[in-house]
Amino acid sequence: MSSIADMHGFNGFKGFNWINRRRLAWRLGAAWSACLLLAAATLAAPEKAPAPVLIRFSHVVAHDTPKGQMALRFKALVQERSGGRLRVEVYPDSQLYGDDDEMEALQLGAVEMLAPSLSKFGAVGVPEFEVFDLPFLFHDLAQVRCVTQGPTGRQLLERLSRQQMVGLGFLDNGFKQMSAGQPVQDVQDFRGLRLRVQASRVLTAQMRSLGAYPVVLPFGETQRALAAGVVDGAENPLSNFLTQHLDAVQRDVTLTSHGYLGYAVVSNPRFWASLDDADRDLLTLALNDALDEGNRLSARMNQQALATLRESSGVRLHALSAGQRSAMRRAVQPAYDDFQRRVGRALLRQVQRDCLFQDLG
């Protein structure tokens, strides 16, 4: 018996194949059209820009200090050179973290960059940095920079890796002067005074050798402590003295220039390793430029602060004679002895040899 397909004059299997091919072609055509529409829509839609890399830069001083200005300059240079791909957010005045907890915050990754004072690194296991605290070691900023910008400075920055920090560079603040409610020109003038210092064994030994009582306080609490009589005086570069408004609570400033205050810019190692080579290079070059500007600004700001205080009616400036300076140098010898017992003699000798210092140790 002939099938219906035979009656219509064609093989059923072939007929159904032909129908299926038409359906498949129609479906493929529809799918291709949908792909073309999707591609056109994708091309027409703007690409979403990747989120910028965020760098939180925390510090404990005001914007108008050398460190504050350096951090803002670094922020501007990174913005300009990365086209916004890298973004620095600066938090001054201990807004995020203060003297007591900023190092731990960096090590834990809560911030990406800091610029702590060099005195703080001894307390976190790198006592070699306390060489910068030794009183009357440096005669001028040229000698300081011989250390910070030479082989010794690079070796010190490399040692920070032992404590989960990447050392990136040094910044000056300047030489410290003594402020109190009285002149402190002779060694006996220090006796019995409670003087605020940073958490450095060299600085506490220095004050004890002068007959004073060292009181370790965070920088942000200094003004209140002086106003309340908790401490009688402090040591600061003149730019810090003015920006922290210490002139409101201290009437006598003795121009001792007995010690140096500087900073090291450090980063979190996990963050630093997460960057590609190009971004690390960009940040390094921007930071070096900002540090150069910051060092020039620091010298200028301290000169301007001195001129301002000379014209102030509320502050009296006092100078040291050559004999008074020599007596203070002899009095602080125990600070050198203590440093060399703890850290060794080699680093001090290296600093003195490389930069032609007088041997005080």
Side-chain angles (χ1 to χ4, degrees):
M1 178 181 289
S2 298
S3 68
I4 296 175
D6 289 338
M7 291 173 61
H8 285 277
F10 61 89
N11 179 277
F13 179 77
K14 289 181 181 179
F16 281 114
N17 258 352
W18 178 76
I19 293 170
N20 288 339
R21 281 199 299 270
R22 289 195 62 183
R23 288 174 178 167
L24 179 61
W26 181 85
R27 288 172 181 167
L28 286 174
W32 180 246
S33 298
C35 287
L36 289 176
L37 289 172
L38 178 61
T42 301
L43 290 172
E47 286 191 23
K48 187 177 180 181
V53 175
L54 177 62
I55 304 157
R56 293 163 294 183
F57 194 143
S58 175
H59 64 81
V60 302
V61 296
H63 272 319
D64 55 353
T65 60
K67 180 161 59 174
Q69 290 295 296
M70 180 279 295
L72 292 176
R73 181 58 178 157
F74 174 62
K75 172 182 178 177
L77 289 173
V78 171
Q79 172 71 25
E80 173 189 334
R81 295 177 185 180
S82 73
R85 195 167 40 79
L86 305 175
R87 190 175 87 239
V88 177
E89 291 183 353
V90 179
Y91 297 91
D93 281 324
S94 303
Q95 289 177 3
L96 287 184
Y97 301 99
D99 282 326
D100 292 337
D101 55 4
E102 65 173 358
M103 295 285 213
E104 184 180 6
L106 181 84
Q107 292 165 329
L108 294 175
V111 292
E112 285 69 45
M113 293 182 75
L114 299 175
S117 67
L118 301 176
S119 302
K120 294 180 184 176
F121 291 102
V124 295
V126 196
E128 295 92 338
F129 275 78
E130 290 181 21
V131 72
F132 292 103
D133 289 333
L134 289 169
F136 299 105
L137 177 60
F138 299 103
H139 299 162
D140 53 38
L141 286 175
Q143 288 188 336
V144 173
R145 290 172 187 167
C146 177
V147 178
T148 58
Q149 298 180 14
T152 301
R154 288 193 293 274
Q155 291 167 16
L156 288 171
L157 291 176
E158 288 168 2
R159 289 179 189 179
L160 292 174
S161 63
R162 302 187 317 214
Q163 299 300 328
Q164 295 301 302
M165 287 178 274
V166 179
L168 299 175
F170 291 95
L171 174 69
D172 297 331
N173 192 333
F175 284 95
K176 295 181 287 187
Q177 320 300 335
M178 288 301 311
S179 69
Q182 65 185 58
V184 283
Q185 295 168 287
D186 296 303
V187 173
Q188 58 265 29
D189 295 334
F190 286 85
R191 290 175 185 161
L193 294 180
R194 300 182 304 276
L195 299 176
R196 182 265 170 182
V197 294
Q198 297 185 79
S200 160
R201 290 182 64 171
V202 167
L203 297 180
T204 57
Q206 164 196 283
M207 292 308 182
R208 289 193 182 106
S209 68
L210 291 168
Y213 299 107
V215 180
V216 175
L217 286 174
F219 181 68
E221 296 178 14
T222 302
Q223 207 264 7
R224 291 192 298 273
L226 288 166
V230 174
V231 292
D232 302 308
E235 54 174 10
N236 281 291
L238 294 181
S239 62
N240 278 10
F241 182 82
L242 283 183
T243 57
Q244 291 296 307
H245 308 293
L246 301 188
D247 54 325
V249 292
Q250 298 271 266
R251 67 175 184 173
D252 289 284
V253 175
T254 305
L255 302 176
T256 52
S257 295
H258 62 281
Y260 168 77
L261 176 61
Y263 311 104
V265 180
V266 293
S267 182
N268 174 275
R270 293 181 297 279
F271 163 74
W272 198 251
S274 73
L275 300 169
D276 60 34
D277 291 342
D279 284 347
R280 274 195 297 270
D281 289 344
L282 186 152
L283 290 175
T284 299
L285 291 173
L287 180 62
N288 288 341
D289 289 344
L291 289 173
D292 286 344
E293 292 189 32
N295 284 335
R296 290 192 294 271
L297 177 64
S298 170
R300 188 164 66 248
M301 288 182 70
N302 280 304
Q303 291 171 354
Q304 291 170 346
L306 178 59
T308 298
L309 290 172
R310 288 194 191 281
E311 297 175 359
S312 170
S313 60
V315 174
R316 300 180 299 191
L317 296 180
H318 312 278
L320 295 182
S321 68
Q324 288 168 331
R325 182 175 295 277
S326 294
M328 282 190 194
R329 282 177 171 168
R330 291 192 299 271
V332 297
Q333 182 62 42
Y336 281 80
D337 298 338
D338 177 70
F339 175 81
Q340 291 177 105
R341 278 194 301 269
R342 292 185 297 106
V343 182
R345 194 174 182 83
L347 176 59
L348 179 58
R349 288 297 187 194
Q350 180 180 341
V351 168
Q352 291 169 328
R353 180 187 66 245
D354 291 351
C355 294
L356 305 177
F357 291 1
Q358 178 183 355
D359 184 357
L360 299 176

